[in-house]
Amino acid sequence: MNAVNATGASDDRDQFLRARLASLLEGVRPWDEQERAHLAEAVEWVAGGAPLHRVRKPDVPPVHLVSYFVVLDEKRGELLLVAHRKAGLWLPSGGHVEPMEDPWDTVVRECREELFIDAVPSMVAGRQPFFLTITQTRGQGRHTDVSLWYVLRADAGSVVIFDEDEFSAIKWLSLSQVLAEPGDTLDPHMHRFTRKLMAAQPG
């Protein structure tokens, strides 16, 4: 394959992924005005042709795509948070979407790498993102994460080990317990996500 064809194939894949991402964003039903604004900003970012994926840690390009996944024990009504060493916050698991990678494939890969379990879609949204946020990170190498939040299901007892290089601890909390946690110890959108999830629960 010559260079022209290789570039063309890469461009085709980029356009396919942008169309895929636009479709995913269209399927997210905004919970509040902040999510509505973030969705509009994300749609414009994708359509504008800016680079989507991180190519060098921690901040190149300064805006890039992330897949979060919140693991939910549906029987107990508890979700899993991890103590992220670099961020110094309790967060959902997740990671940066690699170049030419579908966001769901990121979830599958990161779930195995970080929690050593298979990614099983929840009843809430299946393999589609449930929530969308745009967040500026803290600390050195500050950048902006455009984050698709997925919801997975797993029994609490199935998560017995985790990536200790990235996380210092994990904990399961009921949704009401998450809301009782101080906001400055969590992802800045964690309370909003939790309220949206509570509203989506049957009954």
Side-chain angles (χ1 to χ4, degrees):
M1 179 180 291
N2 61 37
V4 173
N5 287 338
T7 301
S10 177
D11 288 345
D12 288 346
R13 179 63 176 165
D14 179 72
Q15 291 304 312
F16 172 81
L17 287 171
R18 286 180 191 275
R20 164 71 171 154
L21 188 53
S23 176
L24 291 176
L25 293 172
E26 185 178 351
V28 178
R29 298 179 62 182
W31 165 245
D32 55 17
E33 286 306 312
Q34 186 172 358
E35 187 174 15
R36 192 181 308 277
H38 282 182
L39 280 165
E41 186 177 344
V43 168
E44 184 176 353
W45 173 63
V46 171
L52 301 179
H53 306 97
R54 187 179 71 177
V55 295
R56 188 169 74 245
K57 296 181 180 181
D59 58 355
V60 179
V63 181
H64 44 255
L65 189 62
V66 167
S67 285
Y68 261 161
F69 52 93
V70 180
V71 181
L72 178 67
D73 185 319
E74 294 176 331
K75 293 180 181 178
R76 293 170 46 171
E78 296 180 350
L79 58 80
L80 178 68
L81 293 179
V82 299
H84 196 280
R85 293 185 184 276
K86 289 184 179 178
L89 298 171
W90 287 95
L91 306 173
S93 298
H96 293 86
V97 180
E98 298 291 341
M100 303 303 165
E101 184 177 48
D102 186 273
W104 171 254
D105 292 336
T106 307
V107 171
V108 172
R109 173 176 56 78
E110 292 282 353
C111 192
R112 289 174 180 155
E113 291 176 0
E114 295 184 348
L115 301 178
F116 302 94
I117 61 172
D118 291 331
V120 179
S122 73
M123 300 295 290
V124 172
R127 295 188 179 190
Q128 306 303 307
F130 177 71
F131 192 56
L132 181 282
T133 60
I134 299 178
T135 311
Q136 188 174 56
T137 63
R138 308 192 315 179
Q140 292 185 336
R142 294 182 71 175
H143 57 275
T144 299
D145 286 339
V146 179
S147 302
L148 298 167
W149 295 52
Y150 292 81
V151 185
L152 306 181
R153 59 185 174 92
D155 294 336
S158 68
V159 183
V160 294
I161 55 175
F162 56 90
D163 182 352
E164 296 186 19
D165 290 335
E166 289 216 34
F167 314 138
S168 59
I170 63 173
K171 63 182 177 181
W172 293 86
L173 297 173
S174 68
L175 303 188
S176 60
Q177 286 174 326
V178 174
L179 294 179
E181 290 284 305
D184 60 0
T185 66
L186 306 172
D187 179 282
H189 305 288
M190 194 70 218
H191 285 168
R192 294 175 50 246
F193 166 84
T194 302
R195 292 189 182 97
K196 184 176 184 179
L197 184 60
M198 290 175 79
Q201 297 296 299

